[in-house]
Amino acid sequence: MMRQLDFILMRGGTSKGVFLRASDVPEDRGDLAKLLLAVMGSPDRRQIDGLGGADKLTSKAAIMGPPTRADSDVSYLFGQVGITVPQVEFNVNCGNLTAAAAVYAIEEGLVAARDGTTRVRIHNVNTDKIITADVPVANGKPLVAGKLAIDGVPGTGAPIALNFGDAAGAITGQLLPLGAPQSLLAVPELGEISVSVVDCANLVIFVAAETLGMRGAEAPEEVDGNPALIGRINAIRRVVAHRLGFGDYFDSRPAAATPFCVIVGPPAEYTSFSTGRPVPADNMDVACRQFAAGSVSRAYAATVTACTGVAARLDGSVLHAMLAPSAHDRPKLRIGHPSGIIEVESSVSGSLGNPRVDKALILRTARRLAEGRTFLLDGTSEP
């Protein structure tokens, strides 16, 4: 006998995930993790016996339910499902799937549709933060067709505006958990290095490419195929994790999801991972490579994009110091990532010692891809 479970498969930005109803899955995170591993077909490099797409951008799940906070319209629990390791991370958010969560909420009747623009206040349960999504709607349905192109996604779609401005301190409770825009960090493998640790939407360590002997515009396989380099990146992540009080979590995971490490370098031309076409240096303000969960992401995470936009506005940060003066005068930061360019509109106010995030806005597209029932072998957890 096999258990049946309703699902909806959705793309949000450059990610794809299986969406499940909260009422259909266990509340206990351990039991839920076992269920999601079975749904995705993990651990297995190809995820051949499940719905996973054999890439960390497509091995994701969203658990959707009614609001659990008065200032929200819907609850959204994100799960990053391991591919070759039997683990599910619930301590981070996926910003790309947040766009899909907004579309899901409208299509499934959790939020009433309003023609023109429907605002969805999404409670990300992982971080206990509210993200607002403005979804274009016509005839009571979220629009799919549109003119917004996203590098890493074929074609175009209707733009969904995501604002992570209220997501500062998502993981640690502080925008600058080390107390300053830039800090010196003693890393056994590297000596004393400068980093910026910023917590907005997700916890991110920003480090200059030259610190790691990189250009900042490497192809993902150049990093993933270099164990010594991965060791240096993880050494930085480990020191920060221990400084911030979750070293036991980091050390217990074979491929910890947080903190993210973003390697930043000057604009440089490279070949797009998704299209094989050149990404011109003139199209970007900074080149970034995002490392977490054991590998470099083929496309930049939406939450990391929001955090990068905020870091760029913090005077004294590693990223702020690297930008050309002209980049500070533009409202949008253009980030070069392995699949192309992503833009973020951000603003920060307040004093240098007490900065406040006013806006961290990005545009994504999202749509429903499939719906149906997945069949699970006996032994998976039930709610």
Side-chain angles (χ1 to χ4, degrees):
M1 295 294 293
M2 291 191 291
R3 178 188 169 200
Q4 301 180 26
L5 183 65
D6 291 340
F7 77 95
I8 295 174
L9 185 68
M10 300 196 73
R11 178 188 62 78
T14 52
S15 291
K16 183 166 61 177
V18 174
F19 280 63
L20 303 171
R21 291 189 293 261
S23 58
D24 290 344
V25 302
E27 289 186 16
D28 179 81
R29 294 285 176 86
D31 291 338
L32 177 58
K34 293 177 184 177
L35 175 69
L36 295 181
L37 288 166
V39 168
M40 289 297 186
S42 298
D44 172 51
R45 187 174 299 280
R46 295 191 298 154
Q47 293 181 317
I48 194 66
D49 203 34
L51 300 178
D55 185 283
K56 68 180 180 180
L57 296 180
T58 57
S59 187
K60 300 185 174 188
I63 312 303
M64 303 296 298
T68 52
R69 279 180 42 166
D71 56 351
S72 66
D73 301 308
V74 64
S75 66
Y76 154 54
L77 173 68
F78 169 67
Q80 179 69 58
V81 183
I83 298 173
T84 59
V85 293
Q87 69 180 39
V88 180
E89 296 285 3
F90 294 111
N91 61 347
V92 294
N93 181 21
C94 175
N96 276 293
L97 279 197
T98 303
V103 172
Y104 175 100
I106 297 171
E107 290 182 340
E108 293 298 299
L110 295 170
V111 174
R114 299 179 60 181
D115 280 4
T117 300
T118 297
R119 173 162 289 185
V120 183
R121 300 171 302 168
I122 302 163
H123 174 213
N124 176 240
V125 179
N126 310 70
T127 61
D128 196 28
K129 295 295 182 179
I130 302 296
I131 300 100
T132 59
D134 289 330
V135 182
V137 171
N139 300 317
K141 302 287 186 181
L143 287 174
V144 175
K147 297 182 179 180
L148 179 63
I150 293 176
D151 286 341
V153 180
T156 61
I160 298 168
L162 298 174
N163 192 353
F164 294 87
D166 291 330
I171 306 299
T172 66
Q174 301 175 74
L175 177 63
L176 299 174
L178 294 186
Q182 186 171 155
S183 305
L184 289 175
L185 207 64
V187 181
E189 291 84 346
L190 293 166
E192 195 170 65
I193 64 170
S194 293
V195 300
S196 293
V197 180
V198 183
D199 183 357
C200 184
N202 262 323
L203 178 63
V204 182
I205 308 162
F206 295 94
V207 59
E210 62 181 4
T211 300
L212 289 161
M214 296 174 61
R215 304 185 314 279
E218 283 82 355
E221 58 269 22
E222 291 183 73
V223 180
D224 294 348
N226 188 336
L229 176 57
I230 290 176
R232 294 194 294 272
I233 294 171
N234 278 331
I236 297 171
R237 299 175 68 217
R238 184 177 299 109
V239 170
V240 171
H242 279 268
R243 280 277 295 271
L244 297 181
F246 52 93
D248 288 346
Y249 151 79
F250 188 90
D251 291 341
S252 69
R253 295 294 203 184
T258 188
F260 290 81
C261 185
V262 167
I263 299 97
V264 296
E269 182 171 307
Y270 52 88
T271 300
S272 167
F273 175 84
S274 58
T275 67
R277 295 193 292 267
V279 181
D282 290 345
N283 287 3
M284 69 187 77
D285 298 311
V286 64
C288 292
R289 297 297 181 263
Q290 167 195 319
F291 185 95
S295 63
V296 169
S297 290
R298 275 52 179 162
Y300 215 52
T303 53
V304 176
T305 301
C307 193
T308 303
V310 170
R313 307 304 176 200
L314 294 171
D315 192 8
S317 73
V318 169
L319 185 55
H320 186 276
M322 186 171 291
L323 295 177
S326 59
H328 297 296
D329 298 330
R330 287 191 295 269
K332 293 182 179 179
L333 179 72
R334 304 170 302 169
I335 303 165
H337 62 94
S339 288
I341 306 295
I342 188 169
E343 294 184 342
V344 53
E345 185 176 349
S346 57
S347 60
V348 174
S349 61
S351 64
L352 185 62
N354 187 28
R356 181 178 63 252
V357 178
D358 298 317
K359 180 191 294 185
L361 189 146
I362 64 173
L363 298 179
R364 301 281 82 187
T365 62
R367 73 179 185 93
R368 182 178 297 222
L369 299 175
E371 59 182 76
R373 293 188 301 275
T374 182
F375 294 86
L376 306 172
L377 297 174
D378 276 347
T380 54
S381 298
E382 297 189 28

